[in-house]
Amino acid sequence: MSEHTLKIAILCFTDQGLQIAKTLQKEFYRSKVYTTRKVTANKDIHQIDTASQLMSASFNSYDAWVFVGALGICVRSIAPHIKDKTSDPAIINVDDQSKFVQSVLSGHVGKANILTKQVGRILDAQAVLSTSSDLQELWSLDTLAETYGWKAKSNTGTNEIISLFVNRKSTALILKIKDKGTSYLEKSCPDFVDIYYDLEDCSLDTYELIIYVGYEVIDCKTPIITYYAPCIAIGSGCAKDIAPSLLIEDMESALYQKGIAKESIYAIGSASIKNEEQAYLDFASRNKIPFITYTGDELNTIDVANPSEVVKKKVGVYGVSEAAAALIAGQSKWLVEKTKVLTQSGKKFTYAFSLVGVYERKASIAIIGAGSGNPELLTLKGQYILENADCILYAGSLVPEALTHMAKEGALVRNSASMTLEEQIAIIDRYYTQGKSIVRLHSGDPSIYGAIQEQMTIFDEKGYEYYIVPGISSFQAAAAYLKSEFTIPEVAQTIILTRGEGNTPMPEHEKIADMAKLRATMCIFLSVGIAKKIQKQLLEYYPEDTPLAILYRVSWPDEKVWIGTLSELTQIIKTNKLTRTVMIVVGEAIGARKNRSWLYDDKWHHIFRKKEKIAENS
């Protein structure tokens, strides 16, 4: 649960404490204030007699308690109700001068530490944390599983594991799969932790602690904590009315023999004729996973590794187990191909295991928006990917070369400005087949005149994995430079991003003159060479004195900006001999400072700013 959605009780005992409590209540919309001070109560503020009575009645009714007052009052109030860190609510304490915010109870599991830091920021107070991992900025091993949807197991007590880690004992981190959690671990890895990507590459007995993320069963004497991601797809076919207990026993035995932990199962699948097969329903229920079935037509979309003519004659498909596993996994690859099992009753079933495709550690292509020109406007995610990429192709005519200085030693860095698409793809092919990390670095935001759809078409045809990292567009940098909000209440509520018709034809329904009818804030790309034509089309609907901005290489070190009116558009461009990398912005929103938004009006109420209703004293 996010700290932003926690159900919070704020308890205060002094007039100053009540003011602090009211400040906090505005920040946490699911909060209630309780106070021993005399107040006019309403549905969000309640007067109480004593803290002990409130704790007895409501201690476990809230995700978190914020005490505003002396720490001793807090400790004495909660002491009789504390059980363990897995069930106790988060407790934090703020002194009534708001100088210190202290995490008291359930720092990790209950998120008290996160809440403490947030309250510290709200009150400009010093956050006080006592947990060693937080003080050292180390991973919270007891909360990683919950955070990333994993299941945790260890061969010794969790406290011993945590003790070894916070005391910075030699640690091996083995990342068999790839997901959001493993990316975080890679990015924030402490200096006493060595990273491996395969068990075979790591000598387990040379470390004092092992941290593993994946799906394999690991048997070792070294203290180990394993995090199992839901990444294994099971496909299966079976004889009718097979005994559930026998299928479950033999399936779990098969998983263990193949070195796959049952905690890593994502789902089990079969043919739709097995919808009501009790053995599968019981297996799914026992392991708390979905049971998914597929029609014959769906199963036949997979080219199975071990097709069977016998199965084809009986049920109309060449294979159930491999096909079902592949459909669940989203890829036609198997960790374990079709295997037959004869149970003690004489009835048979088959199984196949696949790794769910999104967890596979394999080559990837990141299409990254480099931002508008200033390297500092690259996103943090984009920076991290750039720093770890094996191959970077950047659009050198529009992307600052300084961005490529982030590349790691040994990475290939090439300027694509002089390349054809085919030449770029040839380089990408070479690195992709090696399982490498590839970056295609575009200017601005790649979704705006980024010429990426033709690349993605080829990636799709080749079955390549790729994703897009957004960037700051030049129109956003233009708004920042102009200190303008491009959407002004009752003036302009629409932004048009477009270009004029030059060598590349425009769609018939997207002519500049037609869009000018809206008199919206219009940001015109790639059109400096046809400025006279653009000006004429705009003047059909915009008045001559409409505010205008012409921005050359906005946010670059050599940026230049001219501000005037629409009637001056052509003259500004001609006088300054502008030929490329120019944005034209026209509209009443440029520099506007009127028309207040309703969003922050004191008469406008919503879930985060509640309308105060006075009620009877309670």
Side-chain angles (χ1 to χ4, degrees):
M1 182 183 295
S2 166
E3 69 272 19
H4 299 293
T5 58
L6 293 174
K7 186 179 178 184
I8 296 175
I10 307 168
L11 182 55
C12 56
F13 310 95
T14 64
D15 291 338
Q16 181 65 25
L18 181 58
Q19 294 308 309
I20 295 170
K22 289 180 177 179
T23 297
L24 293 176
Q25 186 175 51
K26 290 181 179 179
E27 297 287 336
F28 301 102
Y29 74 94
R30 295 188 67 202
S31 62
K32 302 286 185 184
V33 171
Y34 296 92
T35 181
T36 55
R37 306 303 293 166
K38 187 174 182 180
V39 294
T40 301
N42 58 45
K43 64 185 182 68
D44 294 318
I45 299 179
H46 304 271
Q47 186 175 339
I48 61 170
D49 293 327
T50 66
S52 60
Q53 290 178 348
L54 179 63
M55 291 295 103
S56 296
S58 306
F59 183 71
N60 289 112
S61 298
Y62 290 91
D63 300 311
W65 288 87
V66 179
F67 282 75
V68 185
L71 179 59
I73 297 175
C74 169
V75 172
R76 285 192 294 272
S77 299
I78 66 174
H81 310 286
I82 296 173
K83 292 183 179 178
D84 61 71
K85 67 179 183 180
T86 62
S87 61
D88 291 333
I91 308 290
I92 72 173
N93 191 83
V94 184
D95 65 89
D96 74 355
Q97 299 302 306
S98 65
K99 292 184 178 180
F100 299 97
V101 185
Q102 184 164 353
S103 176
V104 179
L105 190 69
S106 295
H108 287 158
V109 178
K111 294 186 169 59
N113 289 358
I114 294 174
L115 188 61
T116 296
K117 292 177 182 179
Q118 186 178 6
V119 170
R121 292 191 295 269
I122 294 167
L123 300 177
D124 192 21
Q126 175 65 53
V128 179
L129 305 177
S130 58
T131 46
S132 181
S133 58
D134 288 276
L135 292 173
Q136 297 184 68
E137 296 185 344
L138 299 176
W139 306 321
S140 300
L141 298 183
D142 52 348
T143 62
L144 282 178
E146 179 187 2
T147 301
Y148 296 109
W150 302 332
K151 294 178 181 177
K153 288 185 70 176
S154 62
N155 62 356
T156 187
T158 303
N159 288 339
E160 180 182 345
I161 296 285
I162 294 173
S163 177
L164 289 167
F165 188 63
V166 299
N167 282 294
R168 307 177 75 85
K169 300 301 182 182
S170 61
T171 301
L173 172 65
I174 304 168
L175 304 176
K176 185 64 176 179
I177 55 97
K178 183 177 182 179
D179 66 0
K180 185 177 181 180
T182 61
S183 296
Y184 162 72
L185 296 178
E186 287 177 292
K187 184 166 57 176
S188 57
C189 189
D191 57 9
F192 62 93
V193 177
D194 297 327
I195 299 180
Y196 299 89
Y197 296 99
D198 200 305
L199 270 172
E200 295 180 357
D201 297 331
C202 177
S203 298
L204 301 181
D205 57 359
T206 63
Y207 289 93
E208 296 173 84
L209 174 64
I210 310 295
I211 301 172
Y212 172 89
V213 186
Y215 55 83
E216 297 165 298
V217 175
I218 304 174
D219 184 16
C220 72
K221 295 180 180 179
T222 304
I224 180 172
I225 183 165
T226 52
Y227 296 103
Y228 291 117
C231 60
I232 297 298
I234 298 178
S236 181
C238 72
K240 185 177 180 180
D241 295 330
I242 191 170
S245 61
L246 296 180
L247 182 139
I248 290 171
E249 181 182 348
D250 287 347
M251 185 73 81
E252 292 184 351
S253 175
L255 284 162
Y256 185 80
Q257 289 172 11
K258 300 299 181 181
I260 296 174
K262 65 179 182 179
E263 290 82 4
S264 64
I265 305 171
Y266 168 67
I268 184 169
S270 189
S272 56
I273 57 173
K274 296 295 181 179
N275 269 329
E276 303 301 324
E277 189 67 52
Q278 195 61 48
Y280 291 140
L281 295 172
D282 287 359
F283 182 85
S285 176
R286 174 183 171 88
N287 291 283
K288 298 179 181 179
I289 58 171
F291 172 42
I292 305 169
T293 58
Y294 298 97
T295 65
D297 289 341
E298 290 173 318
L299 294 170
N300 279 329
T301 62
I302 302 298
D303 291 328
V304 296
N306 299 279
S308 169
E309 290 294 341
V310 174
V311 176
K312 182 69 167 66
K313 289 179 181 179
K314 287 185 176 180
V315 296
V317 298
Y318 283 105
V320 174
S321 58
E322 289 177 338
L327 287 169
I328 294 172
Q331 60 175 354
S332 297
K333 295 166 65 175
W334 298 272
L335 295 174
V336 179
E337 293 182 359
K338 182 176 74 173
T339 304
K340 298 178 181 178
V341 178
L342 178 65
T343 67
Q344 289 181 354
S345 67
K347 291 191 174 184
K348 300 177 181 179
F349 72 89
T350 62
Y351 64 80
F353 304 145
S354 291
L355 177 65
V356 175
V358 295
Y359 288 95
E360 186 175 5
R361 189 167 286 279
K362 57 185 176 182
S364 64
I365 303 170
I367 301 172
I368 299 177
S372 55
N374 185 339
E376 292 182 352
L377 293 179
L378 177 70
T379 64
L380 291 174
K381 182 174 183 179
Q383 177 180 343
Y384 171 71
I385 297 168
L386 268 179
E387 290 172 342
N388 291 277
D390 299 300
C391 171
I392 300 172
L393 296 178
Y394 72 104
S397 59
L398 296 169
V399 172
E401 192 265 343
L403 283 172
T404 66
H405 297 172
M406 299 178 185
K408 67 183 181 182
E409 186 176 352
L412 176 74
V413 179
R414 294 284 302 275
N415 183 347
S416 66
S418 63
M419 296 181 189
T420 64
L421 176 61
E422 289 70 24
E423 289 172 329
Q424 296 170 40
I425 296 299
I427 294 173
I428 291 172
D429 283 344
R430 186 167 77 248
Y431 275 80
Y432 196 93
T433 55
Q434 297 175 24
K436 302 294 188 179
S437 172
I438 303 156
V439 166
R440 186 68 181 94
L441 191 60
H442 285 263
S443 62
D445 183 274
S447 66
I448 303 173
Y449 305 111
I452 64 172
Q453 60 85 22
E454 59 194 32
Q455 298 173 60
M456 294 189 294
T457 297
I458 295 174
F459 298 157
D460 288 339
E461 290 173 351
K462 292 175 175 286
Y464 286 177
E465 295 286 334
Y466 64 90
Y467 57 98
I468 297 173
V469 179
I472 302 296
S473 171
S474 56
F475 90 88
Q476 295 165 305
Y481 180 96
L482 297 168
K483 297 180 180 177
S484 295
E485 180 182 349
F486 282 174
T487 54
I488 303 295
E490 301 177 55
V491 174
Q493 290 289 281
T494 301
I495 302 173
I496 296 175
L497 310 179
T498 190
R499 50 170 285 269
E501 186 168 37
N503 294 330
T504 303
M506 289 287 285
E508 187 61 35
H509 55 281
E510 291 187 17
K511 303 298 184 183
I512 290 279
D514 292 334
M515 290 186 284
K517 294 178 183 179
L518 296 176
R519 289 177 60 177
T521 303
M522 191 177 294
C523 303
I524 305 172
F525 295 73
L526 307 171
S527 301
V528 67
I530 52 172
K532 187 174 182 179
K533 178 180 177 182
I534 294 294
Q535 183 181 38
K536 181 180 178 181
Q537 293 173 330
L538 292 173
L539 284 171
E540 291 184 34
Y541 293 98
Y542 288 93
E544 288 188 355
D545 61 352
T546 301
L548 169 80
I550 297 175
L551 304 101
Y552 169 76
R553 286 165 65 93
V554 63
S555 85
W556 289 68
D558 58 345
E559 69 182 353
K560 293 181 181 178
V561 177
W562 297 265
I563 298 175
T565 63
L566 178 56
S567 63
E568 301 172 290
L569 190 159
T570 303
Q571 189 58 47
I572 291 172
I573 289 174
K574 182 178 180 181
T575 300
N576 295 282
K577 299 179 181 180
L578 303 176
T579 59
R580 59 188 296 273
T581 57
V582 170
M583 166 159 286
I584 300 168
V585 183
V586 61
E588 294 291 339
I590 297 174
R593 292 292 185 272
K594 56 183 179 179
N595 298 73
R596 176 173 171 170
S597 167
W598 279 98
L599 180 62
Y600 298 106
D601 191 278
D602 61 4
K603 299 181 182 62
W604 189 261
H605 304 286
H606 47 73
I607 189 171
F608 297 108
R609 189 169 65 246
K610 302 172 184 177
K611 185 175 182 179
E612 293 187 9
K613 293 182 180 180
I614 304 301
E616 296 295 326
N617 284 355
S618 58

